[in-house]
Protein backbone atom coordinates (compact mmCIF):
# COMPACT_ATOMS: atom_id res chain seq x y z
CA UNK A 1 0.00 0.00 0.00
CA UNK A 2 1.31 3.44 -0.93
CA UNK A 3 1.24 6.55 1.28
CA UNK A 4 -1.67 7.91 -0.72
CA UNK A 5 -3.61 4.62 -0.46
CA UNK A 6 -3.07 4.62 3.30
CA UNK A 7 -4.17 8.24 3.62
CA UNK A 8 -7.26 7.55 1.55
CA UNK A 9 -8.08 4.69 3.92
CA UNK A 10 -7.88 7.02 6.94
CA UNK A 11 -9.81 9.78 5.18
CA UNK A 12 -12.61 7.26 4.56
CA UNK A 13 -12.48 5.89 8.11
CA UNK A 14 -12.78 9.38 9.58
CA UNK A 15 -15.43 10.76 7.27
CA UNK A 16 -18.35 12.04 9.32
CA UNK A 17 -16.73 10.96 12.60
CA UNK A 18 -15.82 14.42 13.92
CA UNK A 19 -12.27 13.15 14.33
CA UNK A 20 -9.32 14.46 12.32
CA UNK A 21 -6.02 12.88 11.35
CA UNK A 22 -2.61 14.21 12.38
CA UNK A 23 -0.15 12.57 9.98
CA UNK A 24 2.94 11.81 12.08
CA UNK A 25 5.95 12.42 9.87
CA UNK A 26 8.86 12.10 12.32
CA UNK A 27 12.00 10.41 10.90
CA UNK A 28 10.65 10.55 7.34
CA UNK A 29 12.35 12.64 4.65
CA UNK A 30 10.74 15.72 3.11
CA UNK A 31 9.83 13.85 -0.11
CA UNK A 32 7.53 11.55 1.87
CA UNK A 33 5.87 14.54 3.49
CA UNK A 34 5.35 16.07 0.03
CA UNK A 35 3.77 12.82 -1.09
CA UNK A 36 1.43 12.89 1.91
CA UNK A 37 0.58 16.53 1.22
CA UNK A 38 -0.24 15.74 -2.40
CA UNK A 39 -2.60 13.01 -1.15
CA UNK A 40 -4.45 15.53 1.02
CA UNK A 41 -2.72 15.45 4.41
CA UNK A 42 -2.71 18.92 6.04
CA UNK A 43 -2.09 18.30 9.76
CA UNK A 44 1.49 17.11 10.29
CA UNK A 45 2.91 15.91 13.61
CA UNK A 46 6.59 15.91 14.56
CA UNK A 47 8.09 15.12 17.97
CA UNK A 48 11.39 17.01 17.72
CA UNK A 49 11.86 20.75 17.41
CA UNK A 50 14.93 20.68 15.18
CA UNK A 51 13.42 18.19 12.77
CA UNK A 52 10.17 20.15 12.46
CA UNK A 53 11.99 23.45 11.98
CA UNK A 54 14.17 21.91 9.25
CA UNK A 55 11.25 20.44 7.30
CA UNK A 56 8.74 23.28 7.58
CA UNK A 57 10.37 25.68 5.07
CA UNK A 58 10.43 22.89 2.46
CA UNK A 59 6.68 22.38 2.52
CA UNK A 60 3.53 24.37 1.63
CA UNK A 61 2.43 27.05 4.08
CA UNK A 62 -1.13 25.77 4.59
CA UNK A 63 0.09 22.82 6.68
CA UNK A 64 -0.88 22.83 10.36
CA UNK A 65 2.25 21.77 12.23
CA UNK A 66 1.58 19.94 15.51
CA UNK A 67 4.39 19.36 17.97
CA UNK A 68 3.64 16.05 19.72
CA UNK A 69 6.88 15.43 21.64
CA UNK A 70 8.25 16.82 24.88
CA UNK A 71 9.19 20.49 24.52
CA UNK A 72 11.93 22.24 26.49
CA UNK A 73 11.26 25.91 27.16
CA UNK A 74 14.56 27.00 25.58
CA UNK A 75 13.47 25.50 22.24
CA UNK A 76 10.07 27.16 21.86
CA UNK A 77 11.63 30.03 19.92
CA UNK A 78 12.61 27.78 17.01
CA UNK A 79 9.03 26.79 16.20
CA UNK A 80 7.13 29.88 17.40
CA UNK A 81 7.11 31.51 13.93
CA UNK A 82 5.01 28.74 12.38
CA UNK A 83 3.78 25.99 14.75
CA UNK A 84 0.00 25.65 14.83
CA UNK A 85 -0.53 23.48 17.91
CA UNK A 86 1.77 22.33 20.70
CA UNK A 87 0.16 19.12 21.95
CA UNK A 88 2.63 18.48 24.75
CA UNK A 89 2.08 21.29 27.26
CA UNK A 90 2.97 19.99 30.70
CA UNK A 91 3.83 23.07 32.79
CA UNK A 92 2.90 26.67 33.47
CA UNK A 93 6.49 27.64 32.71
CA UNK A 94 6.14 26.22 29.20
CA UNK A 95 2.82 28.00 28.64
CA UNK A 96 4.35 31.32 29.66
CA UNK A 97 7.31 30.81 27.33
CA UNK A 98 4.99 29.99 24.42
CA UNK A 99 3.08 33.20 25.19
CA UNK A 100 6.31 35.20 25.12
CA UNK A 101 7.65 33.71 21.88
CA UNK A 102 4.30 33.80 20.05
CA UNK A 103 3.89 37.47 21.02
CA UNK A 104 7.18 38.29 19.27
CA UNK A 105 5.66 37.02 16.03
CA UNK A 106 2.25 38.49 16.74
CA UNK A 107 0.73 35.01 16.57
CA UNK A 108 -1.65 32.85 18.55
CA UNK A 109 -0.39 29.30 19.10
CA UNK A 110 -2.85 26.61 20.13
CA UNK A 111 -1.97 24.24 22.94
CA UNK A 112 -3.17 20.95 24.40
CA UNK A 113 -2.52 19.93 27.99
CA UNK A 114 -0.75 16.58 27.96
CA UNK A 115 -1.95 14.07 30.55
CA UNK A 116 -0.29 11.01 31.96
CA UNK A 117 -2.72 8.14 31.23
CA UNK A 118 -0.39 5.18 30.59
CA UNK A 119 0.73 2.57 33.07
CA UNK A 120 4.38 3.09 32.13
CA UNK A 121 6.23 5.50 34.40
CA UNK A 122 8.27 6.82 31.49
CA UNK A 123 5.36 8.45 29.66
CA UNK A 124 5.19 12.07 30.67
CA UNK A 125 2.21 14.27 31.32
CA UNK A 126 0.10 15.96 33.95
CA UNK A 127 -2.26 14.59 36.56
CA UNK A 128 -5.67 16.24 36.89
CA UNK A 129 -4.66 18.19 40.06
CA UNK A 130 -1.52 19.45 38.31
CA UNK A 131 -3.54 20.63 35.33
CA UNK A 132 -6.00 22.38 37.64
CA UNK A 133 -3.17 24.11 39.44
CA UNK A 134 -2.02 25.52 36.09
CA UNK A 135 -5.53 26.56 35.11
CA UNK A 136 -6.13 28.29 38.44
CA UNK A 137 -2.94 30.29 38.37
CA UNK A 138 -3.12 34.07 38.22
CA UNK A 139 -0.53 34.18 35.42
CA UNK A 140 -2.89 32.40 33.06
CA UNK A 141 -5.34 35.26 32.81
CA UNK A 142 -2.93 37.52 30.94
CA UNK A 143 -2.25 35.09 28.09
CA UNK A 144 -3.11 36.47 24.64
CA UNK A 145 -0.84 34.51 22.33
CA UNK A 146 -1.44 30.95 23.44
CA UNK A 147 -4.88 29.38 23.46
CA UNK A 148 -5.66 26.08 25.14
CA UNK A 149 -7.86 24.00 22.87
CA UNK A 150 -7.96 20.63 24.62
CA UNK A 151 -6.07 17.65 25.99
CA UNK A 152 -3.66 15.00 24.73
CA UNK A 153 -2.56 11.61 26.02
CA UNK A 154 -0.50 8.58 25.06
CA UNK A 155 -1.92 5.24 26.11
CA UNK A 156 0.04 2.25 27.35
CA UNK A 157 1.83 0.30 24.64
CA UNK A 158 -0.32 -2.82 24.93
CA UNK A 159 -2.89 -4.81 22.98
CA UNK A 160 -5.08 -5.18 26.07
CA UNK A 161 -8.24 -3.52 24.72
CA UNK A 162 -9.90 -3.14 28.09
CA UNK A 163 -6.89 -1.30 29.45
CA UNK A 164 -6.70 0.99 26.37
CA UNK A 165 -10.40 1.81 26.59
CA UNK A 166 -10.02 2.60 30.26
CA UNK A 167 -7.10 4.96 29.59
CA UNK A 168 -8.84 6.71 26.69
CA UNK A 169 -11.98 7.00 28.83
CA UNK A 170 -9.90 8.56 31.58
CA UNK A 171 -8.55 11.23 29.22
CA UNK A 172 -12.08 11.94 27.95
CA UNK A 173 -13.20 12.34 31.54
CA UNK A 174 -10.36 14.80 32.28
CA UNK A 175 -11.39 16.76 29.20
CA UNK A 176 -15.02 16.85 30.39
CA UNK A 177 -14.10 18.02 33.87
CA UNK A 178 -11.80 20.80 32.62
CA UNK A 179 -14.37 21.85 30.03
CA UNK A 180 -17.05 22.17 32.71
CA UNK A 181 -14.87 23.97 35.24
CA UNK A 182 -12.72 26.27 33.11
CA UNK A 183 -13.84 26.32 29.48
CA UNK A 184 -17.63 26.09 29.51
CA UNK A 185 -17.85 29.27 27.42
CA UNK A 186 -14.88 28.48 25.17
CA UNK A 187 -16.15 26.78 22.01
CA UNK A 188 -12.61 26.17 20.83
CA UNK A 189 -11.70 24.04 23.86
CA UNK A 190 -12.81 20.87 22.10
CA UNK A 191 -9.88 18.61 21.22
CA UNK A 192 -9.11 15.19 22.67
CA UNK A 193 -5.92 14.00 21.00
CA UNK A 194 -5.59 10.24 21.49
CA UNK A 195 -5.01 7.15 19.39
CA UNK A 196 -2.05 6.04 17.26
CA UNK A 197 -1.52 3.42 14.54
CA UNK A 198 -2.18 0.45 16.81
CA UNK A 199 -5.10 1.79 18.85
CA UNK A 200 -6.84 4.56 16.89
CA UNK A 201 -10.10 2.62 16.42
CA UNK A 202 -10.57 2.27 20.17
CA UNK A 203 -9.60 5.92 20.64
CA UNK A 204 -12.24 7.06 18.15
CA UNK A 205 -14.84 4.88 19.89
CA UNK A 206 -13.89 6.62 23.15
CA UNK A 207 -14.30 10.12 21.71
CA UNK A 208 -10.99 11.09 20.11
CA UNK A 209 -11.07 14.24 17.95
CA UNK A 210 -7.45 13.98 16.76
CA UNK A 211 -5.69 10.70 16.04
CA UNK A 212 -1.91 10.81 15.56
CA UNK A 213 -0.87 8.20 13.01
CA UNK A 214 2.60 7.52 11.64
CA UNK A 215 3.59 3.94 10.92
CA UNK A 216 0.19 2.89 9.56
CA UNK A 217 0.71 5.52 6.84
CA UNK A 218 4.47 5.50 6.18
CA UNK A 219 5.48 2.03 7.38
CA UNK A 220 7.98 1.36 10.16
CA UNK A 221 10.32 4.17 11.17
CA UNK A 222 14.10 3.93 10.76
CA UNK A 223 15.47 6.03 13.60
CA UNK A 224 18.96 5.93 12.11
CA UNK A 225 17.91 7.70 8.91
CA UNK A 226 18.89 11.31 8.24
CA UNK A 227 16.18 13.98 7.99
C1 LIG B 1 5.33 8.71 17.04
C2 LIG B 1 4.11 9.18 17.74
C3 LIG B 1 2.83 8.85 17.27
C4 LIG B 1 2.58 7.97 16.07
O1 LIG B 1 2.90 6.64 16.34
P1 LIG B 1 2.56 5.44 15.31
O2 LIG B 1 2.51 4.25 16.17
O3 LIG B 1 3.66 5.42 14.31
O4 LIG B 1 1.26 5.77 14.67
C5 LIG B 1 1.74 9.36 17.95
N1 LIG B 1 1.88 10.16 19.03
C6 LIG B 1 3.09 10.49 19.51
C7 LIG B 1 3.18 11.37 20.70
C8 LIG B 1 4.23 10.02 18.89
O5 LIG B 1 5.45 10.35 19.38
Amino acid sequence: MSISDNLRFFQQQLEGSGCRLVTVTKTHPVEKLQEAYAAGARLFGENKVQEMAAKQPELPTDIEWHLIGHLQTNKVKYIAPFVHTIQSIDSLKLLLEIEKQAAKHNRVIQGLLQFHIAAEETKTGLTLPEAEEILQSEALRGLRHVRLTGVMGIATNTDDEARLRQEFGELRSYFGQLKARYFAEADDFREISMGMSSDYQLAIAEGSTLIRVGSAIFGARNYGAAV
Side-chain angles (χ1 to χ4, degrees):
M1 293 277 269
S2 68
I3 291 173
S4 62
D5 287 337
N6 293 335
L7 280 166
R8 200 164 312 119
F9 169 81
F10 277 99
Q11 285 152 2
Q12 283 162 1
Q13 290 265 304
L14 295 181
E15 210 175 307
S17 71
C19 180
R20 294 180 298 155
L21 170 69
V22 177
T23 302
V24 175
T25 54
K26 66 191 186 201
T27 76
H28 300 294
V30 164
E31 302 79 72
K32 299 267 175 157
L33 277 66
Q34 284 161 341
E35 204 177 323
Y37 181 88
R42 290 297 179 272
L43 280 59
F44 284 19
E46 287 278 343
N47 69 335
K48 294 209 171 94
V49 164
Q50 277 92 339
E51 189 174 341
M52 182 189 266
K55 288 172 173 174
Q56 184 269 342
E58 310 290 326
L59 285 144
T61 53
D62 62 340
I63 288 173
E64 272 187 22
W65 291 92
H66 288 235
L67 189 82
I68 59 174
H70 180 68
L71 178 58
Q72 289 171 268
T73 48
N74 62 355
K75 291 190 177 165
V76 176
K77 57 178 179 284
Y78 301 115
I79 56 171
F82 66 87
V83 71
H84 181 279
T85 300
I86 294 172
Q87 295 207 2
S88 45
I89 295 181
D90 58 1
S91 72
L92 179 61
K93 186 171 163 235
L94 182 57
L95 260 176
L96 297 179
E97 179 65 14
I98 297 167
E99 167 71 18
K100 183 173 144 195
Q101 297 299 333
K104 287 186 188 166
H105 300 279
N106 205 15
R107 300 187 65 230
V108 177
I109 295 173
Q110 300 191 9
L112 306 183
L113 292 171
Q114 182 175 353
F115 281 89
H116 180 91
I117 55 171
E120 297 107 321
E121 275 303 319
T122 50
K123 297 205 168 142
T124 52
L126 300 161
T127 63
L128 189 60
E130 288 167 348
E132 297 217 54
E133 196 183 322
I134 293 174
L135 293 169
Q136 286 165 8
S137 80
E138 200 60 46
L140 209 71
R141 289 182 234 290
L143 303 190
R144 297 287 173 271
H145 299 275
V146 52
R147 183 184 306 138
L148 289 172
T149 54
V151 301
M152 181 271 224
I154 305 171
T156 302
N157 185 7
T158 175
D159 45 24
D160 179 346
E161 291 200 2
R163 154 133 243 149
L164 289 166
R165 273 192 182 267
Q166 184 251 316
E167 292 176 2
F168 291 142
E170 194 176 310
L171 185 61
R172 191 190 52 220
S173 151
Y174 294 157
F175 169 83
Q177 293 178 61
L178 297 183
K179 177 84 185 163
R181 291 185 201 138
Y182 304 94
F183 297 98
E185 310 294 319
D187 290 341
D188 52 8
F189 190 86
R190 59 170 183 226
E191 305 292 3
I192 306 177
S193 173
M194 58 187 188
M196 317 187 356
S197 293
S198 58
D199 56 20
Y200 71 88
Q201 281 156 320
L202 290 172
I204 294 169
E206 293 295 329
S208 175
T209 69
L210 286 171
I211 53 171
R212 310 177 305 266
V213 179
S215 45
I217 294 169
F218 295 103
R221 281 179 291 274
N222 174 1
Y223 282 95
V227 174

